[in-house]
Amino acid sequence: MSVLGVPVGQPRSARATARAARIDRLGILLTLLGATALVLLPFVVLKANRIAPGDPRALVEVLPRWAALGTEALLVLVAAVALGVARARARLAAALAGIVAVALAVAHAAALLTPPGNAVVRVAPGAGFWLLASALGLMAADAIARLRPGPAMRVLALAAFLAVAGLALAHGTFDSLSIMREYAVNADRFASEAQRHIALALGSLGAAVLLGLPLGILAHRVPRLRPAILALLNIVQTIPAIALFGILMAPLGLLAAHVPWAAAIGIRGIGAAPALVALFLYSLLPIVANTVAGLRQVSPAALDAAHGMGMTPWQALARVELPLALPVILTGVRIVLVQNIGLVAIAALIGGGGLGTFIFQGIGQTAIDLVLLGAIPIVVLAFSAAVLLDALVEALDRGRR
Amino acid sequence: MIAIEHLTKRYGSTTVVDDVSMVIERNSITVIVGTSGSGKSTLLRMVNRLVEPESGRVLIDGRDTAHEPAHLLRRRIGYAIQGHGLFPHRSVAENIATVPHLLGWEPARIRSRVTALLEALQLDPAVFARKYPHQLSGGQQQRVGVARALAAEPEVLLMDEPFGALDPIIRDKAQDDLLDIQRRFATTIVLVTHDIDEAFRLGDRVAVMSAGRLLQYDRPEVLLKHPADTLVARMTGLSDRAMRLLALTTAGEAVVPGASDGPGVASSASLREVLCELIWRGVDSANVVDAAGAPLGRLTIATILAHGRPS
């Protein structure tokens, strides 16, 4: 049926599709996740002691009425922004407000549920909290991606995030939470294991750059060596981490037993030495492969000009080839650093130390909060390293394209 | 003066440059022209030893170039290539300063030389010195490439298809600029191209190469009037060689005394351009005037046509 040739009902359905198109698709997913977390999953888990099974509690059960309602109202507002507001700045502000509210709510809940002076009862963030935090974090990350910040802005944002988190931790905002209780017990070891972790990751990276860069240059200059070098490093890369640690135990142990100076500088079958060697071997392939790839993409015309104007081969390498290959080489460094920060965790298995120590102790004691005390800092470290090096690569690349 | 004596280069069983000898005069433009694979680039690259010859030698002002380290030799020889080869991570000023920097010039001397070169190539130093190559147009990049090659006041400037990447209108301008620069700096230029028009337009002398051999090396009009063999005749253009010949002579060179009631033409115009003008206007003669507009004499169609014949 039609009126004056216009199908009836067409305008209404057209308006409806237009409105539907304006609803953010990611917003729908995030809202569903958030609603599930808030309604169906426990916000916190109350445990009689650190290894006892937990007693789930919802947000409304633990916070005073006004605080619970206020938090929920704010989250509904955030969901509305996620669904209907396209402006990235507004979305980012809403997501950050949501994250702050949820973090304060969990800290407050922990403080309320812990009886004064009781050091045995533990209040851990529940599945609902983690899901809410993930949804809000996803919303913030998406908003930042839509804003396309430059390298300097991204580093500033990371610094601001770390500063706020650091201040909150120093202020004691989260002290009643189970993870911070584990921290309080392990505070003296935490700093030294964290230092150890960073030292192992950076040390193996440094050694890999020192050897990998010349090896990459050699593989580039001598094409006949290239397949052999890369194939060998590829094989190393395929050995599982734990197997490689195991393989290294025997030769390093023998070395320590028979060569006095080796033992004197700390080489042993277990401990930091095999960890460092294994991480170094894993680091070589990305450094060498990216050095080769970086040198190969240097414009032949620029290189011809460099030689034609009278640069010696070393001058051409230092002044033209390496600077032009640097962004690709740094991408390799980024891969290695992020990979190593994660792999160092396994080094704890062979007595290498690092934050992995807490993870494996926690698994042994079925104390999940101790596992998180090791895991969360590792994630933050890896994330920070990735943001910093990505920004560096992009800043270098920008001046040239 | 550059003396190339019996240069030969082989790659495996193929001879890329086959016993080439030629003398390049100081303060002139010599163009080596040939099809791709003719060995012209290899010949050029043996002058600054980017390619080492199998046998034969190159003398610059009587000194054998093989007797000094290749990188020191190259710092005395300017080098400009197709697609400019500018360093993308260095500013225009840093690119131009490359060779002076390698030679250890004082910073003040480098700065003033960079400024002078940018001005000579019609690039405002205040605007362009700090820019990066990717911020320039193709024509500007090419000019910076020439400035960089000229930076250390080289005795010789080698150019390998320097205008190959430019579109026709910009290439025309770049060729004019090169003639202007050659006059101003009195540089000895050796240029390689596959474009015979470019060769005739720029070259005081033109070397025609094919399959590694130097077929003929002479002034453009000699190549047109007396080609050494059919290959040279074909490469220099059999079908329109009369017009090419007219393009090589200016009105000032061909002018005869007398006056005409035809249009005025500049003495710097080529006979080809004057002829076209006369055909277009439907008249038989033109007045030749100098740059100031003073009459020099006249040119008739018959006079012009006589210049388009081999003798």
Side-chain angles (χ1 to χ4, degrees):
Chain A
M1 183 191 154
S2 70
V3 181
L4 294 173
V6 179
V8 173
Q10 169 78 11
R12 234 173 84 194
S13 73
R15 227 182 298 146
T17 24
R19 204 181 308 138
R22 260 184 278 127
I23 291 179
D24 192 275
R25 286 204 194 145
L26 180 69
I28 296 173
L29 177 70
L30 295 177
T31 304
L32 286 176
L33 283 178
T36 311
L38 210 54
V39 177
L40 297 178
L41 296 172
F43 191 67
V44 289
V45 177
L46 178 65
K47 294 186 280 193
N49 59 57
R50 64 194 285 261
I51 58 172
D55 177 13
R57 298 288 171 88
L59 186 65
V60 282
E61 292 174 289
V62 288
L63 287 189
R65 199 177 183 76
W66 61 269
L69 283 179
T71 308
E72 283 176 350
L74 183 76
L75 289 175
V76 168
L77 204 66
V78 174
V81 172
L83 287 171
V85 178
R87 280 189 55 214
R89 279 171 200 282
R91 295 175 70 87
L92 180 60
L96 292 179
I99 289 170
V100 169
V102 170
L104 290 178
V106 82
H108 195 50
L112 287 176
L113 282 176
T114 312
N118 188 332
V120 181
V121 164
R122 295 294 161 97
V123 183
F129 167 82
W130 292 119
L131 196 56
L132 262 180
S134 308
L136 290 165
L138 211 59
M139 185 175 166
D142 170 64
I144 289 174
R146 290 189 200 190
L147 281 172
R148 295 172 191 278
M153 270 316 289
R154 294 206 302 267
V155 172
L156 271 177
L158 175 70
F161 166 75
L162 292 178
V164 170
L167 278 176
L169 288 174
H171 175 255
T173 311
F174 300 105
D175 277 359
S176 306
L177 267 182
S178 54
I179 302 171
M180 289 312 287
R181 288 296 200 73
E182 293 289 352
Y183 171 75
V185 177
N186 295 295
D188 49 337
R189 274 173 59 221
F190 184 84
S192 68
E193 296 294 6
Q195 265 176 21
R196 187 72 172 282
H197 198 99
I198 295 171
L200 278 173
L202 286 181
S204 54
L205 169 69
V209 171
L210 277 183
L211 188 78
L213 210 55
L215 210 54
I217 293 167
L218 184 72
H220 173 71
R221 286 284 167 88
V222 190
R224 266 186 303 170
L225 287 178
R226 196 180 306 154
I229 291 176
L230 291 179
L232 191 70
L233 294 176
N234 254 319
I235 291 171
V236 172
Q237 204 77 9
T238 58
I239 304 175
I242 293 190
L244 189 56
F245 288 135
I247 292 171
L248 286 169
M249 274 186 194
L252 288 175
L254 278 176
L255 190 68
H258 297 286
V259 183
W261 63 261
I265 61 167
I267 293 180
R268 286 184 185 72
I270 58 166
L276 206 60
V277 173
L279 291 169
F280 160 77
L281 290 176
Y282 278 129
S283 308
L284 272 180
L285 178 70
I287 301 285
V288 173
N290 279 50
T291 304
V292 171
L295 290 172
R296 280 177 92 167
Q297 50 96 55
V298 169
S299 131
L303 196 57
D304 185 36
H307 290 135
M309 284 189 300
M311 288 191 191
T312 62
W314 282 112
Q315 284 170 335
L317 182 68
R319 299 182 188 190
V320 178
E321 295 187 83
L322 283 179
L324 288 178
L326 192 59
V328 183
I329 296 174
L330 276 181
T331 307
V333 170
R334 174 212 187 276
I335 294 170
V336 165
L337 189 54
V338 174
Q339 170 188 288
N340 278 8
I341 289 172
L343 278 177
V344 172
I346 303 173
L349 270 186
I350 53 163
L355 292 166
T357 314
F358 299 120
I359 297 180
F360 290 111
Q361 272 180 14
I363 292 173
Q365 302 169 3
T366 64
I368 194 72
D369 300 319
L370 190 55
V371 174
L372 290 176
L373 180 66
I376 293 175
I378 291 176
V379 172
V380 172
L381 273 178
F383 177 74
S384 306
V387 170
L388 279 177
L389 280 167
D390 277 343
L392 188 62
V393 170
E394 199 183 316
L396 276 173
D397 244 5
R398 273 198 177 185
R400 306 172 174 184
R401 293 285 141 86
Chain B
M1 191 187 77
I2 305 172
I4 292 172
E5 297 179 351
H6 304 290
L7 273 188
T8 297
K9 179 71 190 178
R10 284 187 205 89
Y11 288 117
S13 60
T14 43
T15 306
V16 191
V17 173
D18 189 0
D19 191 25
V20 170
S21 296
M22 61 193 282
V23 171
I24 291 157
E25 292 299 332
R26 198 158 254 306
N27 190 11
S28 71
I29 301 184
T30 299
V31 178
I32 305 170
V33 67
T35 51
S36 64
S38 63
K40 56 189 193 301
S41 282
T42 309
L43 179 63
L44 186 82
R45 291 163 72 85
M46 283 195 281
V47 174
N48 67 357
R49 290 177 56 200
L50 279 172
V51 173
E52 295 286 356
E54 214 83 58
S55 60
R57 56 179 193 165
V58 178
L59 306 172
I60 296 182
D61 293 331
R63 279 165 59 199
D64 191 336
T65 54
H67 290 165
E68 66 179 313
H71 65 275
L72 295 182
L73 169 74
R74 290 179 200 142
R75 289 175 193 175
R76 298 193 286 119
I77 299 177
Y79 186 56
I81 53 177
Q82 176 170 18
H84 62 73
L86 294 177
F87 303 139
H89 61 303
R90 300 228 179 142
S91 70
V92 165
E94 289 166 341
N95 261 289
I96 296 175
T98 304
V99 182
H101 194 74
L102 289 172
L103 292 172
W105 286 17
E106 297 286 324
R109 186 179 170 203
I110 294 180
R111 266 198 303 279
S112 71
R113 179 67 180 162
V114 167
T115 308
L117 278 166
L118 282 172
E119 277 165 359
L121 285 148
Q122 300 149 44
L123 295 164
D124 182 359
V127 177
F128 287 96
R130 285 155 178 265
K131 287 203 177 194
Y132 281 82
H134 70 102
Q135 297 170 306
L136 308 179
S137 71
Q140 289 164 346
Q141 290 173 339
Q142 192 272 334
R143 273 183 276 168
V144 174
V146 173
R148 183 175 69 170
L150 290 169
E153 293 158 359
E155 302 151 48
V156 183
L157 172 57
L158 305 182
M159 307 181 91
D160 193 349
E161 299 266 8
F163 311 123
L166 303 181
D167 64 56
I169 293 173
I170 297 174
R171 189 187 311 153
D172 244 34
K173 168 92 169 71
Q175 290 169 345
D176 279 341
D177 290 345
L178 185 69
L179 289 169
D180 191 50
I181 285 166
Q182 197 274 328
R183 266 176 235 125
R184 191 181 325 184
F185 294 101
T187 318
T188 307
I189 297 177
V190 186
L191 185 147
V192 159
T193 181
H194 65 272
D195 178 354
I196 193 77
D197 289 318
E198 184 168 281
F200 282 164
R201 178 159 180 206
L202 296 174
D204 296 308
R205 307 243 286 168
V206 173
V208 182
M209 283 190 75
S210 178
R213 287 186 310 112
L214 178 60
L215 301 180
Q216 192 171 7
Y217 173 46
D218 218 315
R219 285 177 293 121
E221 61 266 33
V222 178
L223 293 184
L224 284 166
K225 287 180 181 172
H226 311 291
D229 56 27
T230 53
L231 201 54
V232 174
R234 252 205 347 262
M235 283 179 66
T236 52
L238 267 181
S239 60
D240 60 350
R241 55 188 172 182
M243 294 309 279
R244 287 178 190 276
L245 209 47
L246 291 184
L248 292 173
T249 312
T250 64
E253 291 162 348
V255 67
V256 293
S260 149
D261 49 4
V265 295
S267 62
S268 61
S270 73
L271 290 185
R272 179 182 169 142
E273 289 167 321
V274 177
L275 181 62
C276 283
E277 186 66 18
L278 295 180
I279 295 170
W280 191 255
R281 290 185 180 236
V283 292
D284 292 331
S285 64
N287 277 309
V288 179
V289 297
D290 65 13
L296 295 171
R298 65 184 185 130
L299 271 177
T300 63
I301 284 189
T303 324
I304 294 171
L305 294 185
H307 280 275
R309 295 184 192 114
S311 54

